[in-house]
Amino acid sequence: MKRRRFFKLLGATTSAMTLSPWEYFESTLYADPKFNRASALQQIERLEGQPPMQAQVRVERGGPRLFLNGEEIYPFMALSTHLYPTVGNFKQAGINIYHPVVGMRSGWLGPDTYDWSIIDTFFGRLLEMNPDAYFLPRIQLNTPNWWKEAHPSELIKYGLPTPENKINVHIKRNLPQSEGGHHFMASGDELWEASFASEVWRRDTAAMLRDFVRHIQESSLNSRVIGYHPTTGRTAEWNYFGPDYLPDYSEPMQRACGKIPAAQERLQTTFGLLRDPEKESEVIGFYRKFHEVIADTVLYMASTLKQATDRRLLCGVFYGYLLEQVRIQEAGYLATQKILESPDLDYIACPYTYQEGNVRNSSGQRVNMVDGAGNLLGSSRGVGGDGGYRMLSESVRRHGKLYISEMDPSTYLDFNPHTVVGGLGGSSSHTLEGSKLILQRDLGQVFATGVGGWLFDFGPLNQAKEGWYASKPIIDEIKRYVDLGKRRLQSDISSVAQIAAVYDIKSFFSTAHWQADKPWYDYGIGYTDFFNHWFINTQVRSFHRIGAPMDFLHNFDLQPTDSKKYRLMFMVNMLHLTSDEISQLKAMLRDSGMTVVWYYAPGFIDSNRLALDRMQDLTGFQFKILMEPGLMMIRGNIKRPGSRPLRLRFGVNASHYPRFAVVDQTSENLGLWQDVDEVAFAMKEHEGYQSVYVGTAPLPAPILRWLVQQAEIPLWSSEPDIVRATEDAAMIVATEKGERKLTLHKAMAAIDGGGSKREHVLNMDFGEVNIFAAVS
């Protein structure tokens, strides 16, 4: 093994010049002729004598918490495409833990040949800028060209033709580099890459990681590195490379999965929106194995890192996004249970919502999402948006892992209305006041929901050369919430939600392919299939406007005690269920007294057939199948004693099959299909709970709030506001201007002053944010 140590660079010119241009660590945007490399590396030597870092996540007082050297730390960090110009902003805001992006192939020079001086210099310079800095490096595992040239049989092969201009973009494009030896904006285009099923790639990459960790442990940086975040793939988030071209027909993947179905078999279904297991079992089985391979590769790297660090440091990954996960069959995360159950992962990270609206405001921005009937569902980013999480965070908490929200809202300091990458600030982000409200919502949500977070500043890659957060008012706003986070150390972060949305990821193996719904003209986010978009991505917009806290979790994380915790459950996409899963659901729900909303075709897909009888047994309704394609739109007509009926059309203006109609004479009719007089929305008592069936999505907020009242759950806000809460903290974001009454589950006081009480009468402007905390 050949290695060059960082201390050999002291006083030297640069050994980095021996590297190819794209590996050279100095940013093309921020080359500094006055920069003294030797001085930066001396900052590492000055750490000598400091004890090695001990970092861990422990579950205490209601949820996972971060501990460094035995002391609990509020889990809030920062990163940027270019940390050199932005680290000073973060330091002023009180953030000393950074998540620097480092390109490992900048130091992986050949077989068993490593030189980590580029990354050493990067860390040294950051320490020069902030001597109190700690690092959780995001280590990019993109494969070096020399390795790919040496192992052509280990590379990805695609089922569809690939464009020549997307093969090896690192050679063919002159891209800006980050300070840590990584190309931003490149990994999303790369197609010439190693298969995740390649045992050779796993072995060689793991050997490289062990050498890098050994290098850090033998240097004084071992007191400042708190863990590692391995990643690769499209967008550098373990999304499979080249999903548009149907990976992966390589020899390694065929060894792992067996025969891989032809491209057209993957793209088409034989039963409309669904796959028929009797005819398409090979496709369903392939996708299951394919995603197991991806998860196994992620865990292989995590295990390597945990072993190399003697389990003293953190390891976390991007994985498990369900909401707004584009290209889900090829690039999604459909083996999440294996990831969550791994002892080698301490946290899971995920960028928060990116969904734009499908209608434009007066400025031409796409802000709000509406359904096919024009019902307002909500907005994601911008002032008054929900800032929702794309991960099912309650599942992460139940597995004892820290959830970290990646937040990248642009601010008024970015002068380009069409940003290059990331950071869609949303409506009013071009103003100072709008930028502050968005940050209050995002940072307040981290505090109120008991999770962790990091701010990702893409500003230097756009028009804000010193960063999106480089003004005193913005820095002061961030610092206020960093300081607020210290109250977490005395708080209980247990869930207090009585409402849950439950999802089944394996159902995506058995539903129409994401390419089937082109051209995505009204989706707000492209490259998603019908169920992912309307049932998951868009339904959650109105979930966030229920006006009460909600939990979001996978069906495999349901527990028998949830029948007592929750009074209302939305079973959103429980299409493909095993017999054991159906039995467990029935046992949990029986005599629970809760209200359960079943969407579309719960339990209809078995392992070897389409089974209407299972769907009827699970829900208690009798159904018939409508095979003629028709609008996925319902004419709701809900009778409310003492009030006017709630008459509301909702759903999707698109024709699909199959649809289902309730033919049960004992149920209450709540709505009919738009184009035929068949019941599509109904309710009945079943086995000791209230069973509700709805044939389409999304349900708008008025119907959701009616269901909450039917379940006898108190609405926290008298308006359809965004409400987040844990045992000792709460947040409300006003979705419209005016007065509302906020009724908390216990007495709390506003963090900006006022008495501790349960009921708060608030006169709020649109998008205004109020945070409450228990008084100790």
Side-chain angles (χ1 to χ4, degrees), residues 269 273-277 283-285 287-288 291 322 328-329 333-336 502-514 529-532 535-536 554-556 571-578 581-582 585 599-606 610 614 618:
T269 59
L273 287 171
L274 307 174
R275 295 193 186 275
D276 185 343
V283 178
I284 295 170
Y287 277 122
R288 178 182 58 79
H291 284 276
L322 181 62
I328 197 163
Q329 280 86 8
Y333 307 99
L334 301 181
T336 304
V502 184
Y503 303 84
D504 177 66
I505 52 174
K506 69 179 179 301
S507 289
F508 284 103
F509 302 148
S510 304
T511 54
H513 194 267
W514 59 269
D529 64 282
F530 178 80
F531 290 107
N532 197 342
F535 283 65
I536 296 179
H554 294 280
N555 62 318
F556 56 73
M571 302 295 191
V572 180
N573 72 324
M574 312 286 276
L575 311 179
H576 189 165
L577 298 176
T578 66
E581 287 173 326
I582 287 179
L585 282 171
Y599 285 74
Y600 186 60
F604 181 61
I605 306 173
D606 196 357
L610 299 174
R614 298 168 84 245
L618 176 60

Coordinates of all heavy atoms in Angstrom, one line a residue, residues 269 273-277 283-285 287-288 291 322 328-329 333-336 502-514 529-532 535-536 554-556 571-578 581-582 585 599-606 610 614 618:
T269 N -47.6 -2.4 -17.7 CA -48.3 -3.2 -16.8 C -49.4 -3.9 -17.6 O -49.9 -3.4 -18.6 CB -48.9 -2.4 -15.6 OG1 -49.8 -1.4 -16.2 CG2 -47.8 -1.7 -14.8
L273 N -53.2 0.5 -13.7 CA -52.3 1.1 -12.7 C -51.6 0.0 -11.9 O -50.6 0.4 -11.2 CB -53.2 1.9 -11.7 CG -53.7 3.3 -12.3 CD1 -54.7 3.9 -11.2 CD2 -52.6 4.2 -12.6
L274 N -51.9 -1.2 -12.0 CA -51.3 -2.3 -11.2 C -50.6 -3.3 -12.0 O -51.0 -3.5 -13.2 CB -52.4 -2.9 -10.3 CG -53.2 -1.9 -9.5 CD1 -54.3 -2.7 -8.7 CD2 -52.4 -1.2 -8.5
R275 N -49.7 -4.1 -11.4 CA -49.2 -5.3 -12.0 C -49.9 -6.5 -11.5 O -50.2 -6.6 -10.3 CB -47.7 -5.4 -11.7 CG -46.8 -4.3 -12.2 CD -45.3 -4.6 -12.1 NE -44.5 -3.5 -12.6 CZ -44.2 -3.3 -13.8 NH1 -44.6 -4.1 -14.8 NH2 -43.4 -2.2 -14.1
D276 N -50.2 -7.4 -12.4 CA -50.8 -8.7 -12.1 C -49.8 -9.7 -11.7 O -49.0 -10.1 -12.6 CB -51.7 -9.2 -13.2 CG -52.5 -10.4 -12.9 OD1 -52.2 -11.1 -11.9 OD2 -53.4 -10.7 -13.7
P277 N -49.7 -10.1 -10.5 CA -48.6 -11.1 -10.1 C -48.7 -12.4 -10.9 O -47.6 -13.0 -11.0 CB -48.9 -11.3 -8.6 CG -49.7 -10.2 -8.1 CD -50.5 -9.8 -9.3
V283 N -41.1 -9.4 -13.0 CA -40.8 -7.9 -12.9 C -40.9 -7.5 -11.4 O -40.0 -6.9 -10.9 CB -41.8 -7.1 -13.7 CG1 -41.5 -5.6 -13.5 CG2 -41.6 -7.4 -15.2
I284 N -41.9 -8.0 -10.7 CA -42.1 -7.7 -9.3 C -40.9 -8.2 -8.5 O -40.3 -7.5 -7.7 CB -43.4 -8.2 -8.8 CG1 -44.6 -7.5 -9.5 CG2 -43.5 -8.1 -7.2 CD1 -45.9 -8.2 -9.2
G285 N -40.5 -9.4 -8.8 CA -39.4 -10.1 -8.1 C -38.1 -9.4 -8.4 O -37.2 -9.2 -7.5
Y287 N -37.5 -6.2 -9.2 CA -37.4 -4.9 -8.4 C -37.1 -5.1 -7.0 O -36.4 -4.3 -6.4 CB -38.7 -4.0 -8.7 CG -38.6 -3.3 -10.0 CD1 -39.6 -3.4 -10.9 CD2 -37.6 -2.4 -10.2 CE1 -39.6 -2.7 -12.1 CE2 -37.6 -1.7 -11.4 CZ -38.6 -1.8 -12.4 OH -38.5 -1.1 -13.5
R288 N -37.7 -6.1 -6.4 CA -37.4 -6.4 -5.0 C -36.0 -6.7 -4.8 O -35.3 -6.2 -3.9 CB -38.3 -7.6 -4.5 CG -38.1 -7.9 -3.0 CD -38.9 -9.1 -2.6 NE -38.7 -10.3 -3.4 CZ -37.6 -11.1 -3.3 NH1 -36.7 -10.9 -2.4 NH2 -37.5 -12.2 -4.0
H291 N -33.5 -3.6 -5.4 CA -33.5 -2.7 -4.2 C -32.8 -3.3 -3.0 O -32.1 -2.6 -2.2 CB -34.9 -2.2 -3.9 CG -35.3 -1.1 -4.9 ND1 -35.0 0.2 -4.8 CD2 -36.1 -1.3 -6.0 CE1 -35.5 0.9 -5.8 NE2 -36.2 0.0 -6.6
L322 N -39.4 8.7 0.7 CA -40.6 8.2 0.1 C -41.4 9.3 -0.6 O -41.7 9.2 -1.8 CB -41.5 7.4 1.1 CG -42.8 6.8 0.5 CD1 -42.4 5.8 -0.5 CD2 -43.7 6.3 1.6
I328 N -39.0 6.2 -9.0 CA -38.9 5.4 -7.8 C -38.5 4.0 -8.0 O -37.9 3.4 -7.2 CB -40.2 5.6 -7.0 CG1 -40.1 5.1 -5.6 CG2 -41.4 4.9 -7.7 CD1 -41.2 5.6 -4.6
Q329 N -39.0 3.4 -9.1 CA -38.6 2.0 -9.3 C -37.1 1.8 -9.6 O -36.6 0.8 -9.1 CB -39.4 1.4 -10.5 CG -40.9 1.0 -10.1 CD -41.8 2.1 -10.3 OE1 -41.5 3.2 -10.8 NE2 -43.1 1.9 -9.8
Y333 N -35.9 4.2 -2.9 CA -35.4 3.6 -1.7 C -36.5 2.6 -1.3 O -37.3 2.9 -0.4 CB -35.1 4.6 -0.7 CG -34.2 5.7 -1.1 CD1 -34.7 7.0 -1.4 CD2 -32.8 5.6 -1.1 CE1 -33.9 8.0 -1.8 CE2 -32.0 6.6 -1.5 CZ -32.5 7.8 -1.8 OH -31.7 8.9 -2.2
L334 N -36.4 1.4 -1.8 CA -37.5 0.5 -1.5 C -37.1 -0.8 -0.7 O -37.7 -1.8 -0.8 CB -38.2 0.0 -2.9 CG -38.7 1.2 -3.7 CD1 -39.4 0.7 -5.0 CD2 -39.7 2.0 -2.9
A335 N -36.0 -0.6 0.0 CA -35.6 -1.6 1.0 C -35.3 -1.0 2.3 O -34.3 -1.3 3.0 CB -34.4 -2.4 0.5
T336 N -36.1 0.0 2.7 CA -35.9 0.8 3.9 C -35.8 0.1 5.2 O -35.1 0.4 6.1 CB -36.9 1.9 3.9 OG1 -36.9 2.6 2.7 CG2 -36.7 2.9 5.1
V502 N -49.8 6.0 7.2 CA -49.0 4.8 7.1 C -48.8 4.4 5.6 O -49.8 4.5 4.8 CB -49.8 3.6 7.9 CG1 -48.9 2.4 7.9 CG2 -50.1 4.1 9.3
Y503 N -47.6 3.9 5.3 CA -47.3 3.7 3.9 C -46.6 2.3 3.7 O -46.0 1.8 4.7 CB -46.3 4.8 3.4 CG -46.8 6.2 3.5 CD1 -46.7 6.9 4.7 CD2 -47.4 6.8 2.4 CE1 -47.1 8.2 4.8 CE2 -47.9 8.1 2.5 CZ -47.7 8.8 3.7 OH -48.2 10.1 3.9
D504 N -46.8 1.8 2.5 CA -46.2 0.5 2.2 C -45.2 0.6 1.0 O -45.7 0.9 -0.1 CB -47.2 -0.6 1.9 CG -46.6 -1.9 1.5 OD1 -46.0 -2.5 2.4 OD2 -46.8 -2.3 0.4
I505 N -43.9 0.5 1.2 CA -43.0 0.8 0.1 C -43.0 -0.3 -0.9 O -42.8 -0.1 -2.1 CB -41.6 1.0 0.6 CG1 -41.1 -0.1 1.5 CG2 -41.5 2.4 1.3 CD1 -39.6 0.1 1.9
K506 N -43.2 -1.6 -0.5 CA -43.1 -2.7 -1.5 C -44.2 -2.6 -2.5 O -44.2 -3.3 -3.6 CB -43.1 -4.0 -0.8 CG -44.3 -4.5 -0.1 CD -44.2 -5.8 0.5 CE -45.4 -6.3 1.2 NZ -45.8 -5.3 2.3
S507 N -45.3 -1.9 -2.3 CA -46.4 -1.7 -3.2 C -45.9 -1.1 -4.6 O -46.5 -1.4 -5.6 CB -47.5 -0.9 -2.7 OG -48.2 -1.6 -1.7
F508 N -44.7 -0.4 -4.5 CA -44.2 0.2 -5.7 C -43.6 -0.8 -6.7 O -43.4 -0.6 -7.8 CB -43.2 1.3 -5.4 CG -43.8 2.6 -5.0 CD1 -43.9 2.9 -3.6 CD2 -44.5 3.4 -5.9 CE1 -44.5 4.1 -3.2 CE2 -45.1 4.6 -5.5 CZ -45.1 4.9 -4.1
F509 N -43.3 -2.0 -6.2 CA -42.9 -3.1 -7.1 C -44.1 -3.5 -8.0 O -43.8 -4.1 -9.0 CB -42.4 -4.3 -6.3 CG -41.3 -4.1 -5.3 CD1 -41.2 -4.8 -4.1 CD2 -40.3 -3.1 -5.6 CE1 -40.1 -4.5 -3.3 CE2 -39.3 -2.8 -4.7 CZ -39.2 -3.6 -3.6
S510 N -45.3 -3.3 -7.5 CA -46.5 -3.8 -8.2 C -47.4 -2.7 -8.8 O -48.6 -3.0 -9.0 CB -47.3 -4.7 -7.2 OG -46.5 -5.7 -6.6
T511 N -46.9 -1.5 -8.9 CA -47.7 -0.5 -9.5 C -47.1 0.0 -10.8 O -45.9 -0.3 -11.1 CB -47.9 0.7 -8.6 OG1 -46.6 1.2 -8.1 CG2 -48.7 0.3 -7.3
A512 N -47.8 0.8 -11.6 CA -47.3 1.3 -12.9 C -46.0 2.0 -12.7 O -45.8 2.8 -11.8 CB -48.4 2.2 -13.5
H513 N -45.2 1.9 -13.7 CA -43.8 2.5 -13.7 C -43.9 4.0 -13.8 O -44.9 4.6 -14.3 CB -43.1 2.0 -15.0 CG -41.6 2.3 -15.0 ND1 -41.1 3.4 -15.5 CD2 -40.6 1.5 -14.5 CE1 -39.8 3.4 -15.3 NE2 -39.4 2.2 -14.7
W514 N -42.9 4.6 -13.2 CA -42.9 6.1 -13.1 C -42.9 6.8 -14.5 O -43.4 7.9 -14.6 CB -41.7 6.6 -12.3 CG -40.3 6.2 -12.9 CD1 -39.6 5.1 -12.6 CD2 -39.6 7.0 -13.8 NE1 -38.4 5.1 -13.2 CE2 -38.3 6.3 -14.0 CE3 -39.7 8.2 -14.5 CZ2 -37.3 6.7 -14.9 CZ3 -38.8 8.6 -15.3 CH2 -37.6 7.9 -15.5
D529 N -44.6 8.6 -10.6 CA -45.8 7.9 -11.1 C -47.1 8.4 -10.4 O -47.0 9.2 -9.5 CB -45.6 6.4 -10.7 CG -45.5 6.1 -9.3 OD1 -44.5 6.4 -8.6 OD2 -46.5 5.7 -8.7
F530 N -48.2 7.8 -10.9 CA -49.5 8.3 -10.4 C -49.6 8.2 -8.9 O -50.1 9.1 -8.3 CB -50.6 7.4 -11.1 CG -52.0 7.8 -10.7 CD1 -52.6 8.9 -11.2 CD2 -52.6 7.0 -9.8 CE1 -53.9 9.2 -10.9 CE2 -53.9 7.3 -9.4 CZ -54.6 8.5 -9.9
F531 N -49.3 7.0 -8.4 CA -49.5 6.8 -6.9 C -48.5 7.7 -6.1 O -48.9 8.3 -5.1 CB -49.3 5.4 -6.5 CG -50.4 4.5 -7.0 CD1 -50.2 3.6 -8.1 CD2 -51.7 4.6 -6.4 CE1 -51.3 2.8 -8.5 CE2 -52.7 3.8 -6.9 CZ -52.5 2.9 -8.0
N532 N -47.3 7.7 -6.5 CA -46.3 8.5 -5.8 C -46.7 10.0 -5.8 O -46.7 10.7 -4.7 CB -44.9 8.4 -6.4 CG -43.8 8.8 -5.5 OD1 -44.0 9.5 -4.6 ND2 -42.6 8.4 -5.8
F535 N -51.1 10.2 -4.4 CA -51.4 9.6 -3.1 C -50.4 10.0 -2.1 O -50.7 9.9 -0.9 CB -51.5 8.1 -3.3 CG -52.7 7.6 -4.0 CD1 -53.0 7.9 -5.3 CD2 -53.6 6.8 -3.2 CE1 -54.2 7.5 -5.9 CE2 -54.8 6.4 -3.8 CZ -55.1 6.7 -5.2
I536 N -49.2 10.3 -2.5 CA -48.1 10.5 -1.5 C -47.6 11.9 -1.5 O -47.8 12.7 -0.6 CB -47.0 9.5 -1.7 CG1 -47.5 8.0 -1.4 CG2 -45.8 9.7 -0.7 CD1 -46.5 6.9 -1.6
H554 N -43.8 3.8 8.3 CA -44.0 2.6 7.4 C -44.9 1.6 8.1 O -44.9 1.5 9.4 CB -42.6 1.9 7.2 CG -41.7 2.8 6.4 ND1 -41.8 2.9 5.0 CD2 -40.6 3.6 6.7 CE1 -40.9 3.7 4.5 NE2 -40.1 4.1 5.5
N555 N -45.6 0.8 7.3 CA -46.5 -0.2 7.9 C -45.7 -1.3 8.7 O -46.2 -1.8 9.7 CB -47.3 -0.9 6.9 CG -46.6 -1.6 5.8 OD1 -45.5 -1.2 5.4 ND2 -47.0 -2.8 5.5
F556 N -44.4 -1.5 8.4 CA -43.7 -2.5 9.1 C -43.3 -2.0 10.5 O -42.8 -2.8 11.3 CB -42.4 -3.0 8.4 CG -41.5 -1.9 7.9 CD1 -40.6 -1.3 8.8 CD2 -41.4 -1.6 6.6 CE1 -39.8 -0.3 8.4 CE2 -40.5 -0.6 6.1 CZ -39.7 0.0 7.0
M571 N -54.3 4.9 5.7 CA -53.6 3.8 5.1 C -53.5 4.1 3.6 O -54.3 3.8 2.8 CB -54.3 2.4 5.3 CG -54.6 2.1 6.8 SD -53.0 1.8 7.6 CE -53.6 1.1 9.2
V572 N -52.4 4.8 3.3 CA -52.3 5.6 2.1 C -52.1 4.7 0.8 O -52.8 4.9 -0.2 CB -51.2 6.6 2.2 CG1 -51.1 7.4 0.9 CG2 -51.5 7.6 3.3
N573 N -51.2 3.8 0.9 CA -50.9 3.0 -0.3 C -50.6 1.5 0.0 O -49.7 0.9 -0.4 CB -49.7 3.5 -1.1 CG -48.4 3.3 -0.4 OD1 -48.3 3.4 0.8 ND2 -47.3 3.0 -1.2
M574 N -51.5 1.0 0.8 CA -51.3 -0.4 1.3 C -51.8 -1.4 0.3 O -52.7 -2.2 0.6 CB -52.0 -0.6 2.6 CG -51.8 0.5 3.6 SD -50.1 0.4 4.4 CE -50.5 -0.7 5.7
L575 N -51.3 -1.4 -0.9 CA -51.8 -2.1 -2.0 C -51.3 -3.6 -2.0 O -52.1 -4.5 -2.3 CB -51.4 -1.4 -3.3 CG -51.7 0.1 -3.4 CD1 -51.2 0.6 -4.8 CD2 -53.2 0.4 -3.2
H576 N -50.1 -3.8 -1.7 CA -49.5 -5.1 -1.8 C -49.1 -5.6 -0.4 O -48.1 -5.2 0.1 CB -48.2 -5.1 -2.7 CG -47.7 -6.4 -3.0 ND1 -46.7 -6.6 -4.0 CD2 -47.9 -7.6 -2.5 CE1 -46.4 -7.9 -4.1 NE2 -47.1 -8.5 -3.1
L577 N -50.0 -6.4 0.2 CA -49.8 -6.8 1.6 C -49.7 -8.3 1.6 O -50.4 -9.0 0.9 CB -50.9 -6.3 2.5 CG -51.1 -4.8 2.6 CD1 -52.4 -4.5 3.5 CD2 -49.9 -4.2 3.2
T578 N -48.9 -8.8 2.5 CA -48.8 -10.3 2.7 C -50.0 -10.7 3.6 O -50.6 -9.9 4.3 CB -47.5 -10.7 3.3 OG1 -47.4 -10.1 4.7 CG2 -46.3 -10.2 2.5
E581 N -49.2 -9.6 7.1 CA -49.5 -8.2 7.3 C -51.0 -7.9 7.5 O -51.4 -7.1 8.4 CB -48.9 -7.4 6.2 CG -47.4 -7.3 6.2 CD -46.8 -6.7 4.9 OE1 -47.4 -6.8 3.8 OE2 -45.8 -6.0 5.0
I582 N -51.8 -8.6 6.7 CA -53.2 -8.4 6.8 C -53.7 -8.9 8.2 O -54.5 -8.2 8.9 CB -54.0 -9.1 5.7 CG1 -53.8 -8.3 4.4 CG2 -55.5 -9.2 6.0 CD1 -54.4 -8.9 3.2
L585 N -52.6 -6.3 10.9 CA -53.5 -5.1 10.8 C -54.8 -5.4 11.4 O -55.3 -4.6 12.2 CB -53.6 -4.7 9.4 CG -52.4 -3.9 8.8 CD1 -52.6 -3.7 7.3 CD2 -52.2 -2.6 9.4
Y599 N -57.2 3.7 1.3 CA -57.2 4.3 0.0 C -57.1 3.2 -1.1 O -56.4 2.2 -1.0 CB -55.9 5.2 -0.2 CG -55.9 6.5 0.5 CD1 -55.8 6.6 1.9 CD2 -56.0 7.7 -0.2 CE1 -55.7 7.8 2.5 CE2 -56.0 8.9 0.4 CZ -55.8 9.0 1.8 OH -55.8 10.2 2.4
Y600 N -57.9 3.4 -2.1 CA -57.9 2.8 -3.4 C -58.0 1.2 -3.4 O -59.1 0.8 -3.6 CB -56.6 3.1 -4.2 CG -56.6 2.6 -5.6 CD1 -57.5 3.0 -6.5 CD2 -55.6 1.7 -6.0 CE1 -57.5 2.5 -7.8 CE2 -55.6 1.2 -7.3 CZ -56.5 1.6 -8.2 OH -56.5 1.1 -9.5
A601 N -57.0 0.5 -3.1 CA -57.1 -1.0 -3.2 C -56.3 -1.7 -2.1 O -55.3 -2.4 -2.4 CB -56.6 -1.4 -4.6
P602 N -56.6 -1.5 -0.9 CA -55.8 -2.0 0.2 C -55.8 -3.6 0.2 O -56.9 -4.2 0.2 CB -56.5 -1.5 1.5 CG -57.9 -1.1 1.0 CD -57.8 -0.7 -0.4
G603 N -54.7 -4.2 0.2 CA -54.5 -5.6 0.2 C -54.9 -6.3 -1.0 O -55.0 -7.6 -1.1
F604 N -55.2 -5.6 -2.1 CA -55.7 -6.2 -3.4 C -54.7 -7.1 -4.0 O -55.0 -8.0 -4.7 CB -56.2 -5.1 -4.3 CG -56.8 -5.6 -5.6 CD1 -57.9 -6.4 -5.6 CD2 -56.2 -5.2 -6.8 CE1 -58.4 -6.8 -6.9 CE2 -56.7 -5.6 -8.0 CZ -57.8 -6.4 -8.0
I605 N -53.4 -6.7 -3.9 CA -52.3 -7.4 -4.5 C -51.7 -8.4 -3.5 O -51.2 -8.0 -2.5 CB -51.2 -6.5 -5.0 CG1 -51.8 -5.4 -6.0 CG2 -50.1 -7.3 -5.8 CD1 -50.9 -4.4 -6.4
D606 N -51.8 -9.7 -3.9 CA -51.1 -10.8 -3.1 C -49.8 -11.1 -3.8 O -49.5 -10.6 -4.9 CB -52.1 -12.0 -3.0 CG -51.7 -13.0 -1.9 OD1 -50.7 -12.7 -1.3 OD2 -52.5 -13.9 -1.7
L610 N -54.3 -11.2 -7.9 CA -55.1 -10.0 -7.5 C -56.3 -10.6 -6.8 O -57.0 -11.4 -7.3 CB -55.5 -9.2 -8.7 CG -54.3 -8.6 -9.6 CD1 -54.8 -8.0 -10.8 CD2 -53.5 -7.6 -8.7
R614 N -59.5 -10.5 -0.4 CA -58.6 -10.0 0.7 C -58.9 -8.6 1.0 O -58.9 -8.1 2.2 CB -57.1 -10.2 0.3 CG -56.7 -11.6 0.1 CD -55.3 -11.7 -0.6 NE -54.3 -11.6 0.4 CZ -53.4 -10.6 0.4 NH1 -53.5 -9.6 -0.4 NH2 -52.4 -10.6 1.3
L618 N -60.2 -7.2 4.7 CA -59.4 -6.3 5.4 C -60.2 -5.1 5.8 O -60.2 -4.6 7.0 CB -58.2 -5.8 4.6 CG -57.3 -4.7 5.2 CD1 -56.7 -5.2 6.5 CD2 -56.2 -4.4 4.2

